[in-house]
Amino acid sequence: MTTADSAPLALAYQQATEYLAGLADRPVGATAGSEQLLKMFGGPLPAGPGTATDTIELIGRAVAEGGIPTANGPRYFGYVTGGTLPVAIATDWLVAAYDQTASLYNLSPAIAVAEDVAAQWVLELLGLPAHASVGFPTGCTMAHLTSLAAARHKLLAEAGWDVEREGLGGAPDVAIVAGAQHHMTIDLAARYLGFGTARIRNVPVDDKGRMIPAELERTLAGLDGPVIVCAQIGDVNSGAIDPVGEVCDIAHRYGAWVHVDGAFGLWAAASPRLRPLVEGVERADSWALDAHKWLNVPYDCGIVVIAHPEAHRAAMLNERAGYLPPGTDGERDAIEWVPDFSRRARSLPVWAALRSLGRSGVADLVERCCAHVRRFEGHLAGVEGVELLNDVVLNQLLVRFGDDDRVTRNVIARIQESGVCWFGGTVWEGRAAMRISVVNWRTTEDDVDRSAAVIREALAAELAAAPSS
Ligand SMILES: *Cc1c(COP(=O)(O)O)cnc(C)c1O
């Protein structure tokens, strides 16, 4: 490789390491707006080649001003973004440098074998059936899509319908049953697969947001025909966990397929201390989760696990063109397990994260985040004007600042403006609330203490500016 070819790599390495080293001190928010960023990124399409290092440098400058350290910033508590382990970032760099297509064994035996090992480790770590098949799609939404496609295959095949060939027109109706507080990506998967969202029946939830088993039973008793039941482990706002073992037992009595949305919450299964929260989860038929959230690997990486490998394969790749030879010794061909055809080796950072953390390292990462949320709870409990809205079961806390939604929204805006930490808003039971989500290995107790202080200061400033009558 010439110096000109390696120079952008060296510069990228320098920029990235400086960025990561400065995370603890940089503002948690963008300082540049879209107009300024458009000036940096925009202009006419270059008429001809430019310098690679200039391009890398410009990205560095623009992201320093207009990027937000969402995943790596130790005091970013918005959404459920995850962090990134250094070993996973490094592996992701190598994935780009190798750029070996992870579709077929014969495109890269090394990647195929590493992915196979990562798949087995995931099953072992989460206590899921050893015979299950595993795919690595872009995220949990695509893991839902893969799962519901496998469910659709199996349920309709049992009803004598070849859905891959005939499509859904004229097929027996498949009902989808989910807790009333299910994540919107279940709806997306239902749309993408042609079920339509009108087919989703919401089962009432209790005051903690958990599906009520007796209500599930009542819903199933009122349906006939194939049914997919979607349980949730980890509500995106409250972290609430459906009684998944009971859901499986009831649903299976009615011949339904149980799919689990465990985007971030299913990682609790890796912790011996938290495992009881997901008792019975191994009895489901499919599971969708993200590696890019709580396992702390870079975007984009989801995981789909299916207890019926034949249905899984049938729904994804059931016929091969002549130029796609199958492995001869049962070697892994990733295209059999995900909607992607050509794809990057996104499973390699998963393998690297699991190899470097080990079983206890994953449990520690998950438990530490949960402990940080309880620390937030401790800081905020009893503070005048703060209402805690959920029981902390995992890594999520919801708070509200008094009865006036405007106060809650203004406090969130003040915190975001501080640049010290970042929390997002949501609507909870029809009213404004603030979400606290801890999913990053970098977050320390000191980060929690500093951020809790900012919350209290923002609330005090808001109450001083607009005293309630
Ligand atoms: C994030 C999330 C999803 C969607 O995952 P993506 O990786 O963004 O596709 C689904 N369900 C829950 C509960 C989530 O938190």
Side-chain angles (χ1 to χ4, degrees):
M1 189 153 83
T2 64
T3 313
D5 288 340
S6 64
L9 299 184
L11 183 60
Y13 170 78
Q14 185 197 332
Q15 268 174 215
T17 47
E18 280 172 10
Y19 169 82
L20 294 170
L23 274 173
D25 302 315
R26 67 152 287 164
V28 191
T31 49
S34 62
E35 213 174 297
Q36 210 175 329
L37 290 164
L38 193 55
K39 272 198 201 120
M40 298 171 93
F41 281 116
L45 171 69
T51 318
T53 47
D54 285 353
T55 302
I56 301 300
E57 202 163 38
L58 177 92
I59 293 171
R61 262 186 290 125
V63 172
E65 293 178 39
I68 300 177
T70 48
N72 272 310
R75 292 182 306 283
Y76 186 88
F77 305 107
Y79 305 97
V80 186
T81 54
T84 34
L85 299 160
V87 71
I89 300 174
T91 306
D92 208 60
W93 286 349
L94 292 175
V95 167
Y98 298 148
D99 199 25
Q100 297 180 7
T101 310
S103 306
L104 296 170
Y105 178 82
N106 90 353
L107 279 159
S108 176
I111 302 289
V113 171
E115 180 164 311
D116 217 11
V117 172
Q120 289 310 310
W121 284 353
V122 166
L123 297 178
E124 215 177 292
L125 179 71
L126 301 177
L128 300 179
H131 71 274
S133 45
V134 180
F136 296 87
T138 50
C140 193
T141 307
M142 285 297 116
H144 289 331
L145 179 122
T146 307
S147 300
L148 298 197
R152 182 177 75 168
H153 169 85
K154 183 162 183 290
L155 295 170
L156 288 178
E158 284 164 3
W161 188 266
D162 180 349
V163 68
E164 283 75 31
R165 187 184 148 78
E166 307 295 340
L168 279 177
D173 261 355
V174 179
I176 298 175
V177 171
Q181 233 165 267
H182 66 268
H183 195 265
M184 59 167 288
T185 50
I186 294 287
D187 299 63
L188 292 182
R191 284 173 41 186
Y192 300 156
L193 287 169
F195 287 127
T197 51
R199 219 178 277 247
I200 300 178
R201 290 162 217 239
N202 286 320
V203 176
V205 293
D206 65 15
D207 61 347
K208 315 273 189 247
R210 300 172 299 200
M211 197 194 290
I212 300 170
E215 296 286 353
L216 171 65
E217 175 112 40
R218 197 196 318 263
T219 305
L220 293 176
L223 292 168
D224 65 344
V227 180
I228 302 169
V229 174
C230 298
Q232 177 167 263
I233 296 186
D235 175 84
V236 75
N237 287 312
S238 69
I241 297 172
D242 285 340
V244 65
E246 238 179 306
V247 167
C248 288
D249 295 341
I250 295 168
H252 286 157
R253 262 195 274 122
Y254 287 86
W257 173 294
V258 179
H259 172 63
V260 173
D261 178 357
F264 60 94
L266 190 49
W267 292 102
S271 151
R273 209 181 303 164
L274 298 171
R275 176 93 199 174
L277 292 171
V278 302
E279 185 282 316
V281 70
E282 67 283 352
R283 298 201 289 278
D285 298 280
S286 58
W287 302 262
L289 70 160
D290 275 317
H292 59 216
K293 288 178 181 168
W294 223 345
L295 187 62
N296 281 216
V297 306
Y299 288 97
D300 40 19
C301 186
I303 303 176
V304 57
V305 178
I306 294 186
H308 310 279
E310 287 315 312
H312 189 176
R313 184 189 281 118
M316 292 292 110
L317 187 88
N318 63 347
E319 280 172 24
R320 287 175 185 246
Y323 74 105
L324 303 173
T328 45
D329 288 318
E331 287 123 348
R332 184 180 179 87
D333 286 333
I335 45 168
E336 294 188 332
W337 312 116
V338 286
D340 309 67
F341 205 72
S342 305
R343 48 158 276 219
R344 71 201 306 273
R346 65 172 74 93
S347 50
L348 204 56
V350 173
W351 175 86
L354 294 177
R355 183 176 189 279
S356 72
L357 289 173
R359 194 184 272 280
S360 68
V362 177
D364 180 60
L365 167 63
V366 169
E367 289 170 11
R368 218 161 1 110
C369 291
C370 296
H372 287 327
V373 167
R374 284 194 300 275
R375 193 174 178 90
F376 266 117
E377 188 183 32
H379 278 303
L380 297 174
V383 173
E384 172 115 24
V386 177
E387 191 188 342
L388 303 175
L389 301 176
N390 65 320
D391 288 348
V392 173
V393 282
L394 284 176
N395 60 326
Q396 305 289 124
L397 176 62
L398 274 178
V399 300
R400 176 178 291 146
F401 304 104
D403 291 333
D404 185 345
D405 280 356
R406 282 171 306 181
V407 174
T408 296
R409 284 195 286 264
N410 290 346
V411 171
I412 295 170
R414 283 175 188 271
I415 296 169
Q416 291 177 358
E417 277 160 28
S418 78
V420 176
C421 50
W422 203 100
F423 300 90
T426 188
V427 175
W428 183 251
E429 290 167 351
R431 292 181 35 216
M434 187 177 89
R435 303 175 67 262
I436 298 177
S437 175
V438 186
V439 251
N440 186 350
W441 72 275
R442 282 180 203 272
T443 302
T444 64
E445 290 185 346
D446 181 59
D447 288 315
V448 173
D449 298 348
R450 276 176 71 187
S451 304
V454 170
I455 297 172
R456 285 196 303 261
E457 286 157 22
L459 174 61
E462 177 60 24
L463 294 179
S468 55
S469 47

